[in-house]
Amino acid sequence: MSEQHHASRSRPLRQRNIFGGSGRFGPNMTPMVDVVLVILIFFMAATTIAGQEWFLSADLPEQRDDSDESSGFDLPTPMLDLALFVDVGTIKVRGLGDQALNLEDVLARISGMDPTLCEGLILRLGASDEVPYGSIVSVHDVGTSKGMRVTIR
Amino acid sequence: MRRRSILSDQAGSARVNVTPMIDVVMVLIVFYLLVGQLAMDRRAAIVLPASSTGVEETAQVDPIIIGITRDGERSLNGDAIELDRLEAQVSGMLARSPGTPVRLRADRETPHRFVRPVFNVLRDMGVGKVELVTEQRP
């Protein structure tokens, strides 16, 4: 009896391993689950916080203009003067052609313009009170993509 | 049956195993960062317009950020502000650090009648350029 006790005492210390020692067989998943959760949340946070945002640069001309009217004809070149307004729930644009066009048509027209002609062209944007900001940005965006310099009245 | 304790008794030493606690604390920190950011965006209630062109953030200085919700509520660097106080506040900021970029974060549905006065205020202050924050279109 005492020899048995002595033998168990003199046994080398048991090494720790990834397998649990409480009669269960298999790796201990808890640390891995913790780390995976942290990584998952980190990427979710990075996607949300870091970004996907950028900005468009717009000039603010010195001459202040509170009106939403645009002649569209007596303009110094090279300038494209567009005025957005709402007509029966539809966003229209005046200043490109003789009559007002739908916003989508104007975007398509500007997209189809020759980039060499657009380079250096000043796109001056104005809008009536009810025009959503996103519509102004969409015209700004397509103008910028063609190399125009955009100013907002 | 032997009970498991937080004190490790292996090798005759009694030490607290702090690894699970660190894991949990890290998760909590990241969680609060995430929720804080989401809450801030929700409070501002701004859905940015999308654009396929734009300039990535390169500024070394913190920009002046003016927010406008679709209801016309304005904010300056996250704090609500009235239009009549906006000019004084932005003027002070620009006087302290000239050349600071001015950035507009406006909701895509904001009517232009709420945006135009901000442009006019900036124009009157002599700000010749404003950066319109957009969401990158995929």
Side-chain angles (χ1 to χ4, degrees), chain B residues 48-135:
Chain B
L48 293 172
S51 73
S52 54
T53 57
V55 181
E56 301 269 4
E57 173 69 67
T58 54
Q60 299 296 317
V61 293
D62 289 337
I64 297 169
I65 299 175
I66 300 171
I68 310 176
T69 68
R70 66 170 62 188
D71 301 325
E73 293 171 11
R74 299 179 181 94
S75 61
L76 179 62
N77 290 338
D79 299 322
I81 193 168
E82 295 298 324
L83 186 65
D84 51 357
R85 286 184 51 232
L86 185 69
E87 184 167 2
Q89 293 276 335
V90 175
S91 293
M93 289 175 174
L94 290 173
R96 280 192 296 276
S97 42
T100 306
V102 179
R103 207 162 282 177
L104 180 69
R105 284 177 61 92
D107 190 284
R108 65 179 69 167
E109 297 297 330
T110 306
H112 193 57
R113 67 172 180 275
F114 296 131
V115 181
R116 188 192 293 121
V118 173
F119 284 148
N120 287 337
V121 164
L122 295 174
R123 188 178 290 124
D124 290 346
M125 274 189 286
V127 176
K129 195 177 280 288
V130 65
E131 296 170 349
L132 313 178
V133 182
T134 62
E135 205 170 75

Side-chain angles (χ1 to χ4, degrees), chain B residues 1-48:
Chain B
M1 193 174 170
R2 197 170 147 204
R3 286 171 63 182
R4 196 176 170 191
S5 96
I6 61 167
L7 298 177
S8 167
D9 59 358
Q10 284 186 7
S13 64
R15 285 187 303 180
V16 178
N17 185 5
V18 294
T19 311
M21 192 184 77
I22 292 171
D23 287 345
V24 170
V25 168
M26 278 186 68
V27 170
L28 285 176
I29 289 171
V30 176
F31 175 75
Y32 281 112
L33 282 172
L34 176 63
V35 170
Q37 181 68 28
L38 290 175
M40 201 167 70
D41 284 347
R42 185 156 298 195
R43 190 168 59 240
I46 290 173
V47 181
L48 293 172

Side-chain angles (χ1 to χ4, degrees), chain A residues 13-14 16 24 28 30-31 34-35 37-38 41-42 44-45 48-49 51-68 126-138 140-142 144-145 149 152-153, chain B residues 4 10-11 17 20 23 26-27 30-31 33-34 37-38 41 48-58 103-113 115-116 119-124 127-137:
Chain A
L13 284 174
R14 199 169 139 209
R16 199 175 170 190
R24 290 174 300 173
N28 184 4
T30 311
D34 287 346
V35 171
L37 268 173
V38 169
I41 294 174
F42 172 77
M44 286 171 68
T48 306
I49 296 169
Q52 320 260 328
E53 284 186 13
W54 52 8
F55 55 83
L56 294 164
S57 189
D59 291 336
L60 297 176
E62 288 179 13
Q63 187 184 0
R64 181 175 170 149
D65 188 353
D66 286 323
S67 72
D68 60 348
S128 66
D129 285 349
E130 298 308 318
V131 172
Y133 173 73
S135 302
I136 300 169
V137 169
S138 64
H140 188 312
D141 182 27
V142 73
T144 304
S145 70
R149 184 177 161 191
I152 297 181
R153 288 190 280 135
Chain B
R4 196 176 170 191
Q10 284 186 7
N17 185 5
D23 287 345
M26 278 186 68
V27 170
V30 176
F31 175 75
L33 282 172
L34 176 63
Q37 181 68 28
L38 290 175
D41 284 347
L48 293 172
S51 73
S52 54
T53 57
V55 181
E56 301 269 4
E57 173 69 67
T58 54
R103 207 162 282 177
L104 180 69
R105 284 177 61 92
D107 190 284
R108 65 179 69 167
E109 297 297 330
T110 306
H112 193 57
R113 67 172 180 275
V115 181
R116 188 192 293 121
F119 284 148
N120 287 337
V121 164
L122 295 174
R123 188 178 290 124
D124 290 346
V127 176
K129 195 177 280 288
V130 65
E131 296 170 349
L132 313 178
V133 182
T134 62
E135 205 170 75
Q136 293 185 20
R137 185 174 287 144

